[in-house]
Amino acid sequence: MQQKYQEQVKCVYTDPPYNTKGDGFPYKDSYKHSSWASMMLDRLSLAYGILRDDGVIAHYIDENEHILASQVLSAVFGEENRVGDVVWKNSSKNDQAYVSMQHEYLIAAVKNRSKNKGDWVEKKEGLDEIYAAFDTFKKKHGTNWTAIHESALGWYKQFPESNPIADSKHYTWMDELGIYFPDNISGPNFGQYRYDVYHNVTGKVVKEPASGWRYPESTMLERIKSGLVHFGKDETTVPNNKTYLKNTEYQSLTSIKYRDGRVASKALNAMFGEKTFANPKDSDLSIRFLKAYKTVDSSIIDYFGGTGTTAHAVINLNREDDGKRKYILVEQNNYFDTVLKPRIQKVVYSKDWKDGKPIARVGISHSFKTLRLESYEDTLNNLTLKTDAHRDIALANNPDLQRDYLLNYFIDVETQTSQSLLNIADFRDPTAYKMNIKKPGSEEQSLQAIDLIETFNWLIGLWVSNIAAAHSFSAEFEREQDPDLPNDQKTRLICKRLKVDDKGDYWFRLIEGYTLKVPGDETSKVATLIIWRKQTTDAEKDNVVLQKFLMDKLGISPRAQTYDVIYINGSHTLPNPVIEGEKTKVRLIEEAFHNAMWSGE
């Protein structure tokens, strides 16, 4: 993922394991502070590399590691790129000694302040309820604006300060143009504009602001004519500007969010029809942040996927605004199959659920791919040793030799043919590479095929544009005279004919796409062709069939400019022009696979 997504991701949005000293959370969550910090430092360092220059990282944390989490985030991204914490009040519990904690944090940083100016805005909460209430008032009172105002004042009183609707309680007036609040109309510069303004009903000169009017007289008269000035009952009150709710629906991203943590749990339980997971994050809250971060048509990564809240939010947000956001989730626990994956399937099918059944079948066009990555246990389980009786006897009789041998020689040499350490010999048939894979949640293992094709695409950072169907062929050969051959050779083998044959000996699959020479730079695309084939025991036949298939049947020549790089498994005799100094255009998959797999060593 590092190779493909280097400097490609707009947002890393995640919920790492909290250091809560053991509360049933599926992750190990009783780290020592230093161990927890090391884990997060490792993850954040990797996240830094995949973020675009205008990228943002945000992750949740509670009070146990808030200070340390902030320090680690600042260490990786720089204190100058920290952009503030959001406090999520998610509880009203009162069951702890000293101070009962009722909130968590979302801490954030941008990769580069000069590339991300932070113009993050969000739509005010409760607008639908406010508009609906005023519609009711208008139906009841018509154009009696004062009566509507009195109804609005009474309606707002039901909401406590913690309710987002209370943030808009100053919008208590209405006219033909909409809901508004009377805003300050005084001038910013003392005494700049002074003139008489007449009350719209009494016709008398109104009280003037102490610092004078905000607008020149001509502008003021035009605003009064357009109904944009709010007058008091008589001339003794200073008039106000009308600031309309429809023109101020958005505000800067605010640092305090009120959202009962039980809402997310209830929503997830409604989707599955039973209690599924404790304390999932809130997808609606996630939507608000992903909107503010301006993630439309970009990639979002969550490397602590959990129950799939980030994917849930991305899908619903795309459903809402027709965005083309993509998500990547990484998860290691067995609830990947029981919660995360089915949750994504369900939210694609319908937005709303009750008792495990969809309320309305409003689906969205969507596809996702799941990849199972080799685990540490899988690697150990697939280590194999060379058989050597003399070695075993020597080691058994010499403890010092055994120690030195194990530390300095054992892993590097004796396990080289292990499947988990890349057994190049098995690349002869790319469909037959197998490993013993541990089943999640048990010690049971099963022999499973490994997708070398998909793995190689990721290792070289390939953006796939086309994966051709695999085709098998049978071949006819003949030998022809060739005067250019050495004296001890009279003829060369040619493939006279290739015929599509499901039972044929010769199998090919082509992958087309591109890599980026410069990470994040779409103008630096390297057009790439990958040719996978099954090799037989006759290398000469394999190579003439390859030439026939590629150059004659498909019309692809390594000398042409169609592709910048061509990868093939197994040795070959294709023409191979040199590009970029000493690099050849046609390259061995095995060599590239090995170099990419061990590039971090």
Side-chain angles (χ1 to χ4, degrees):
M1 192 168 73
Q2 290 294 314
Q3 182 67 21
K4 181 172 182 177
Y5 283 96
Q6 189 174 8
E7 298 184 19
Q8 295 282 305
V9 172
K10 177 62 184 288
C11 180
V12 174
Y13 182 85
T14 193
D15 177 25
Y18 294 177
N19 202 7
T20 55
K21 302 175 180 63
D23 61 353
F25 196 76
Y27 288 101
K28 177 182 178 182
D29 59 355
S30 56
Y31 296 95
K32 297 294 185 182
H33 290 296
S34 58
S35 299
W36 189 89
S38 296
M39 179 197 71
M40 292 303 298
L41 181 63
D42 177 63
R43 270 48 168 201
L44 295 180
S45 298
L46 293 173
Y48 186 89
I50 64 177
L51 278 176
R52 299 171 0 187
D53 280 347
D54 65 342
V56 55
I57 180 170
H59 68 80
Y60 290 94
I61 201 66
D62 70 357
E63 74 281 0
N64 289 296
E65 294 292 3
H66 176 236
I67 294 176
L68 190 55
S70 296
Q71 291 172 338
V72 173
L73 188 60
S74 296
V76 175
F77 285 83
E79 187 66 36
E80 70 279 7
N81 289 316
R82 291 295 307 279
V83 292
D85 297 353
V86 172
V87 176
W88 171 27
K89 186 181 183 305
N90 58 358
S91 172
S92 297
K93 66 183 180 180
N94 190 22
D95 58 358
Q96 289 177 278
Y98 302 112
V99 177
S100 186
M101 305 306 296
Q102 301 181 358
H103 65 275
E104 296 177 20
Y105 302 89
L106 183 74
I107 64 176
V110 294
K111 188 170 184 179
N112 188 333
R113 269 186 183 267
S114 66
K115 301 296 183 181
N116 189 325
K117 299 298 184 180
D119 51 341
W120 296 346
V121 296
E122 60 181 353
K123 196 170 185 178
K124 295 174 181 176
E125 293 187 71
L127 294 183
D128 291 341
E129 292 90 338
I130 294 173
Y131 286 129
F134 272 85
D135 283 345
T136 301
F137 305 152
K138 193 171 188 301
K139 287 177 182 178
K140 181 178 181 180
H141 301 296
T143 58
N144 187 338
W145 308 123
T146 300
I148 290 176
H149 169 67
E150 295 295 333
S151 295
L153 289 174
W155 180 76
Y156 279 118
K157 287 181 180 179
Q158 67 181 298
F159 300 105
E161 291 298 319
S162 60
N163 191 300
I165 292 177
D167 292 338
S168 301
K169 64 182 180 182
H170 48 297
Y171 286 92
T172 60
W173 286 91
M174 188 179 194
D175 64 12
E176 292 88 348
L177 298 179
I179 304 165
Y180 69 89
F181 83 91
D183 201 358
N184 186 10
I185 204 170
S186 60
N189 300 316
F190 190 87
Q192 184 176 4
Y193 299 118
R194 293 196 177 276
Y195 47 81
D196 289 339
V197 173
Y198 297 91
H199 194 271
N200 63 335
V201 175
T202 67
K204 297 180 181 180
V205 176
V206 299
K207 183 178 180 180
E208 182 181 276
S211 61
W213 302 104
R214 177 175 298 183
Y215 308 106
E217 186 173 13
S218 59
T219 302
M220 186 68 160
L221 291 174
E222 184 60 35
R223 292 184 65 80
I224 293 172
K225 182 179 178 180
S226 300
L228 300 179
V229 175
H230 175 88
F231 286 93
K233 291 181 178 180
D234 56 38
E235 68 279 0
T236 61
T237 303
V238 177
N240 296 98
N241 258 328
K242 291 182 180 180
T243 297
Y244 288 92
L245 183 58
K246 63 184 178 183
N247 298 327
T248 57
E249 290 186 338
Y250 287 86
Q251 62 187 3
S252 296
L253 183 63
T254 57
S255 64
I256 300 178
K257 299 292 178 228
Y258 297 93
R259 183 79 171 178
D260 192 331
R262 294 170 295 183
V263 172
S265 294
K266 290 178 180 178
L268 193 59
N269 295 342
M271 180 175 283
F272 284 87
E274 60 184 356
K275 188 174 182 180
T276 305
F277 191 90
N279 305 318
K281 287 300 177 283
D282 191 293
S283 61
D284 290 337
L285 195 62
S286 298
I287 285 174
R288 295 182 67 82
F289 292 123
L290 294 178
K291 272 186 179 179
Y293 298 151
K294 302 187 183 305
T295 58
V296 176
D297 301 340
S298 61
S299 296
I300 296 119
I301 285 183
D302 183 350
Y303 47 84
F304 292 106
T307 64
T309 298
T310 297
H312 189 155
V314 169
I315 293 167
N316 273 347
L317 190 49
N318 284 342
R319 179 186 266 125
E320 176 184 318
D321 63 9
D322 293 324
K324 292 182 174 18
R325 300 169 188 83
K326 297 180 180 179
Y327 59 85
I328 297 176
L329 271 58
V330 182
E331 184 50 60
Q332 65 178 357
N333 281 287
N334 55 14
Y335 53 76
F336 175 91
D337 293 310
T338 59
V339 180
L340 191 156
K341 183 178 175 182
R343 181 183 187 180
I344 293 175
Q345 294 170 316
K346 284 174 176 286
V347 76
V348 167
Y349 186 76
S350 176
K351 182 180 179 181
D352 300 305
W353 293 76
K354 183 178 181 181
D355 298 328
K357 298 178 181 178
I359 295 175
R361 297 181 182 180
V362 182
I364 183 174
S365 179
H366 185 77
S367 65
F368 65 93
K369 178 188 292 186
T370 62
L371 303 175
R372 170 79 188 274
L373 304 181
E374 177 187 358
S375 70
Y376 178 71
E377 289 80 4
D378 292 334
T379 301
L380 296 179
N381 291 338
N382 286 276
L383 290 177
T384 56
L385 303 175
K386 294 179 181 178
T387 302
D388 189 334
H390 296 294
R391 174 203 63 200
D392 294 340
I393 293 172
L395 294 179
N397 294 328
N398 191 329
D400 291 337
L401 175 62
Q402 184 181 54
R403 183 197 61 223
D404 292 341
Y405 178 84
L406 291 174
L407 292 176
N408 302 317
Y409 190 77
F410 177 77
I411 292 294
D412 288 339
V413 177
E414 299 294 354
T415 61
Q416 281 187 349
T417 59
S418 299
Q419 297 299 83
S420 54
L421 299 181
L422 201 61
N423 186 355
I424 300 297
D426 278 3
F427 275 51
R428 298 180 65 84
D429 182 353
T431 68
Y433 201 97
K434 297 181 185 296
M435 290 175 58
N436 283 309
I437 302 300
K438 180 178 176 289
K439 292 184 178 181
S442 75
E443 296 303 317
E444 185 180 350
Q445 298 180 37
S446 63
L447 191 64
Q448 297 183 24
I450 302 301
D451 193 337
L452 291 181
I453 295 175
E454 180 81 22
T455 304
F456 186 63
N457 293 345
W458 281 91
L459 281 174
I460 65 172
L462 186 74
W463 292 89
V464 178
S465 57
N466 180 57
I467 299 180
H471 292 288
S472 296
F473 301 89
S474 57
E476 297 178 10
F477 303 96
E478 66 178 24
R479 304 199 75 90
E480 65 177 10
Q481 296 290 326
D482 188 342
D484 294 329
L485 291 173
N487 292 333
D488 59 341
Q489 300 178 29
K490 300 297 183 183
T491 62
R492 69 182 179 93
L493 185 71
I494 63 170
C495 178
K496 185 177 180 181
R497 184 180 177 213
L498 271 183
K499 179 183 177 181
V500 176
D501 182 353
D502 290 341
K503 297 182 179 180
D505 293 330
Y506 303 97
W507 178 98
F508 294 95
R509 190 166 197 187
L510 273 59
I511 317 293
E512 294 176 287
Y514 66 88
T515 61
L516 296 177
K517 185 181 296 184
V518 179
D521 183 1
E522 291 289 320
T523 66
S524 68
K525 291 181 179 179
V526 179
T528 302
L529 173 67
I530 303 173
I531 305 165
W532 288 93
R533 56 180 175 151
K534 292 181 182 179
Q535 296 170 264
T536 70
T537 56
D538 191 325
E540 186 180 22
K541 287 184 177 180
D542 287 342
N543 285 323
V544 297
V545 167
L546 174 62
Q547 291 196 46
K548 182 73 173 179
F549 171 72
L550 192 66
M551 302 177 71
D552 294 349
K553 204 168 189 68
L554 299 183
I556 297 173
S557 170
R559 293 192 177 94
Q561 301 301 311
T562 308
Y563 302 102
D564 299 311
V565 175
I566 298 174
Y567 291 98
I568 300 173
N569 66 310
S571 59
H572 61 86
T573 55
L574 292 173
N576 197 1
V578 175
I579 59 173
E580 296 183 357
E582 298 181 354
K583 291 185 177 180
T584 54
K585 182 174 184 177
V586 185
R587 303 172 187 177
L588 294 179
I589 287 176
E590 292 88 340
E591 182 179 351
F593 204 119
H594 184 275
N595 290 340
M597 185 168 172
W598 302 111
S599 61
E601 296 301 308

